[in-house]
Amino acid sequence: MESTGVFWKPVWNILEGHFTLILANAQRIKNVSGRKTDVSDANWIAKLLHAGLIEPSFVPPVAFRDLRDLTRYRRKLLGHATSEKNRIHKIMQDANIKLSTYVSDVISVSGRALLEIYHQW
């Protein structure tokens, strides 16, 4: 297979375990420029494979791929949480409520308690 993005993943997941799969970097097996079709690309890749000129890209085992996906998702969720905290902090400062003088984290237990006291006042 030739791929530069993530389009190879669904096909790889289906065929893995049934065939010997090789994922090739598209830049390393680039054909000469000119008229290109999927058929001519497939013929070119088949010729390179037959000659042993394709260096397979590293594809980690399923467990590592799943772990990578989970850690990337966790990082994204943490980024969203941080973004929301910053948004809350900015809204409060725009409303002339500056709790950052008293607490380091406005969303912490003590910061929320101060907000509750302010709200009741």
Side-chain angles (χ1 to χ4, degrees):
M1 272 187 274
E2 168 198 20
S3 185
T4 55
V6 295
F7 303 110
W8 59 272
K9 286 184 176 184
V11 177
W12 187 279
N13 290 336
I14 291 171
L15 298 178
E16 188 175 29
H18 301 291
F19 298 97
T20 302
L21 299 174
I22 296 175
L23 182 66
N25 187 332
Q27 285 185 330
R28 293 184 182 164
I29 61 172
K30 188 184 291 186
N31 198 352
V32 279
S33 60
R35 292 183 168 223
K36 292 181 68 174
T37 64
D38 289 339
V39 175
S40 65
D41 279 348
N43 286 333
W44 174 251
I45 293 169
K47 287 177 185 177
L48 289 176
L49 182 63
H50 186 68
L53 296 174
I54 294 180
E55 181 183 339
S57 297
F58 173 70
V59 178
V62 176
F64 288 114
R65 292 195 307 258
D66 290 344
L67 184 62
R68 278 182 177 179
D69 289 341
L70 286 173
T71 54
R72 287 179 183 148
Y73 182 61
R74 180 181 181 272
R75 189 178 322 133
K76 186 175 283 192
L77 286 177
L78 289 174
H80 288 312
T82 303
S83 175
E84 290 301 317
K85 286 180 182 180
N86 290 338
R87 185 174 290 121
I88 290 169
H89 185 73
K90 182 185 179 311
I91 289 170
M92 288 180 12
Q93 281 192 342
D94 289 346
N96 294 327
I97 303 170
K98 188 162 175 83
L99 289 180
S100 60
T101 306
Y102 307 105
V103 292
S104 59
D105 186 9
V106 177
I107 308 300
S108 67
V109 175
S110 56
R112 288 185 307 216
L114 286 172
L115 279 175
E116 186 64 33
I117 291 170
Y118 181 80
H119 178 67
Q120 291 174 359
W121 187 45

